[in-house]
Amino acid sequence: MEIILYLSAAVFAIAFFILVVFLAKTLKSLQFTLDSVSKTLTGLESQMQGVSLETTQLLHKTNALAEDLQKKSENLNTVVDAVKDVGSSIQNFNTSVQKISHKVQHELENNQDKISQIVQWTNVAMEIRDKWKSKKKQTMSADEPSYSQQEELASDKVVKKRFLRSR
């Protein structure tokens, strides 16, 4: 019985040794996996720092762009207000022109008889003036020589004077 006890202790020792060997292999494999995970996390951490830095820069640029947009929006608001004021001024001007146009039209309708009389008197006056001018021309052309005739007489006098001086 002692042999059985020794044999069972030996079997137990061999089994324990096999267990320890497999456990050592498993732990070694686990250590390799954990080392790989550690390296991956280290690389990921450095990449995250780079991404964090780029994100921070992007956030600053976005804030600067938002401020720039805000300023431009405020400037655009003043332009829009100015254009709105110009539109109001033009609308007021159009309203004034329409009022004046209606007033002139109303006055023309009220004074249409007077205007037609003025036109008739003006036509009569122009006819009288034309007749007076034509009569004046006829009397002048009968009494005096024309301009071309006056030029001929003047040139004849100059020729005669030269002729007389040359003798």
Side-chain angles (χ1 to χ4, degrees):
M1 228 189 306
E2 255 181 66
I3 289 188
I4 294 178
L5 201 58
Y6 288 118
L7 276 176
S8 61
V11 169
F12 179 72
I14 292 172
F16 186 73
F17 178 72
I18 291 172
L19 179 68
V20 168
V21 169
F22 280 111
L23 189 59
K25 283 184 179 181
T26 305
L27 287 176
K28 202 172 205 179
S29 175
L30 182 63
Q31 183 181 4
F32 178 74
T33 303
L34 288 176
D35 285 342
S36 176
V37 168
S38 174
K39 289 178 184 176
T40 303
L41 286 177
T42 303
L44 185 62
E45 183 179 336
S46 66
Q47 287 179 355
M48 285 299 292
Q49 286 177 353
V51 168
S52 175
L53 180 64
E54 288 180 13
T55 304
T56 303
Q57 290 175 350
L58 183 62
L59 184 61
H60 289 302
K61 288 179 182 179
T62 304
N63 287 339
L65 183 61
E67 289 176 12
D68 187 41
L69 283 174
Q70 181 67 27
K71 289 177 185 176
K72 289 181 179 178
S73 174
E74 290 172 2
N75 291 340
L76 188 60
N77 286 342
T78 57
V79 170
V80 168
D81 290 340
V83 169
K84 184 178 177 183
D85 291 342
V86 168
S88 298
S89 298
I90 290 173
Q91 187 176 11
N92 291 339
F93 179 72
N94 284 341
T95 304
S96 299
V97 168
Q98 286 176 351
K99 285 180 183 177
I100 291 171
S101 174
H102 288 300
K103 187 175 180 179
V104 167
Q105 184 178 5
H106 181 69
E107 290 296 322
L108 282 174
E109 288 173 359
N110 288 342
N111 297 326
Q112 190 171 6
D113 293 336
K114 292 178 183 177
I115 292 171
S116 63
Q117 286 178 352
I118 289 172
V119 169
Q120 287 175 353
W121 281 107
T122 304
N123 287 338
V124 169
M126 289 175 68
E127 286 178 17
I128 292 172
R129 181 185 61 120
D130 290 341
K131 287 181 181 179
W132 183 68
K133 279 187 175 182
S134 64
K135 279 188 179 182
K136 190 174 182 181
K137 244 186 193 180
Q138 288 175 355
T139 57
M140 285 181 77
S141 64
D143 292 343
E144 296 180 9
S146 67
Y147 181 74
S148 60
Q149 290 173 346
Q150 288 177 355
E151 285 183 347
E152 286 179 21
L153 290 174
S155 64
D156 285 344
K157 287 180 184 178
V158 170
V159 171
K160 286 180 183 177
K161 284 182 182 177
R162 285 185 188 161
F163 177 72
L164 291 176
R165 283 186 193 162
S166 63
R167 285 189 174 186

